[in-house]
Amino acid sequence: MIFTEIVRSHLPFPDELNVLVHIGAHDGGEIEEYLSFDFKKIILIEADPNIFLRLRAKVDKLNKVDQAKILLVQSLVADQDGESYKFNIFSNDGASSSIYNSTELKRKVCQVEETGKTLNLSSSRLDTILSLYKIPAKDITVIVFDIQGAEFKGLLGTGKYLQHACLVEVEVSRYEYYKDAPLYQHIETLLKSSGYKRVTPIP
């Protein structure tokens, strides 16, 4: 298994599930599952503007009641606001696209590579985005990070919201599949220092 998730618990789950935030939503493969848990609000954030259009189209097909629960945001999430990044598009329909370049290990094991196409994107911190949309920190229940090597940067930009989540799920790797991207131990240390306890094993 190349990638796995660190799922860490922090606070006990409330009787009502408030806000779920998924950073790196791609085309929304998890939407139906999220809706089945009856979160009051689901926030899906995707960096690639082209994939974001597909995500928007998928949400538009849902019924009006569910649409009211889903907030879509097109943004590249990192640890600073307004930083310029070259966003590398990958050959697997953009599922592996990243601010980092791939390594030979990534290309060999995952059978995926950069297409040579890039986007110039400006970053936003997650706490900046959530504040902009007037999401109270106390309402955050779950945060999911799946941003292809940039999860550590994303966590650093979460600010006060990280202290209020009941559960955080983060895609991590023990090996360098993205050049110079922080690895598992950096994320584990950050979450542990923030009071989280890991509840899933890391192969």
Side-chain angles (χ1 to χ4, degrees):
M1 186 172 185
I2 300 161
F3 294 105
T4 186
E5 281 92 22
I6 292 179
V7 178
R8 278 186 164 271
S9 63
H10 184 213
L11 303 172
F13 273 85
D15 293 332
E16 292 184 308
L17 301 179
N18 288 322
V19 179
L20 178 144
V21 186
H22 185 138
I23 305 96
H26 197 242
D27 57 5
E30 300 84 2
I31 292 177
E32 287 81 3
E33 183 176 1
Y34 291 159
L35 288 171
S36 73
F37 285 102
D38 201 29
F39 285 93
K40 290 183 178 178
K41 183 174 287 293
I42 298 166
I43 302 173
L44 304 177
I45 304 175
E46 171 56 38
D48 187 325
N50 299 310
I51 291 177
F52 182 79
L53 292 176
R54 286 165 35 196
L55 180 61
R56 170 71 68 186
K58 184 169 188 175
V59 171
D60 286 345
K61 290 181 180 179
L62 299 173
N63 66 58
K64 293 181 179 180
V65 173
D66 286 341
Q67 280 191 54
K69 289 185 176 184
I70 301 172
L71 171 63
L72 302 181
V73 180
Q74 193 264 302
S75 185
L76 187 151
V77 172
D79 56 341
Q80 298 292 331
D81 290 322
E83 293 287 326
S84 180
Y85 284 94
K86 184 179 75 170
F87 191 72
N88 303 290
I89 306 301
F90 278 65
S91 58
N92 56 345
D93 193 32
S96 294
S97 296
S98 177
I99 61 173
Y100 295 101
N101 294 111
S102 60
T103 63
E104 181 61 30
L105 183 64
K106 171 79 172 178
R107 295 187 290 272
K108 181 177 179 180
V109 175
C110 302
Q111 298 294 299
V112 63
E113 59 187 4
E114 293 154 75
T115 64
K117 296 180 180 179
T118 62
L119 298 170
N120 292 319
L121 300 178
S122 179
S123 66
S124 295
R125 289 173 55 92
L126 181 60
D127 56 4
T128 299
I129 294 170
L130 296 177
S131 295
L132 178 65
Y133 286 96
K134 296 180 170 51
I135 305 297
K138 65 179 178 61
D139 287 353
I140 298 296
T141 305
V142 174
I143 304 175
V144 178
F145 283 97
D146 185 3
I147 45 180
Q148 307 305 311
E151 289 81 7
F152 187 70
K153 282 181 174 288
L155 282 165
L156 289 177
T158 303
K160 64 182 179 181
Y161 289 88
L162 190 59
Q163 301 304 318
H164 291 270
C166 300
L167 183 142
V168 175
E169 179 178 305
V170 188
E171 187 178 71
V172 297
S173 178
R174 289 185 183 273
Y175 306 101
E176 191 179 46
Y177 291 94
Y178 291 98
K179 183 174 173 56
D180 299 326
L183 298 178
Y184 150 76
Q185 61 267 27
H186 299 93
I187 294 169
E188 178 84 335
T189 299
L190 175 59
L191 289 174
K192 186 176 181 180
S193 69
S194 298
Y196 286 83
K197 296 180 180 180
R198 181 155 52 85
V199 295
T200 54
I202 305 299

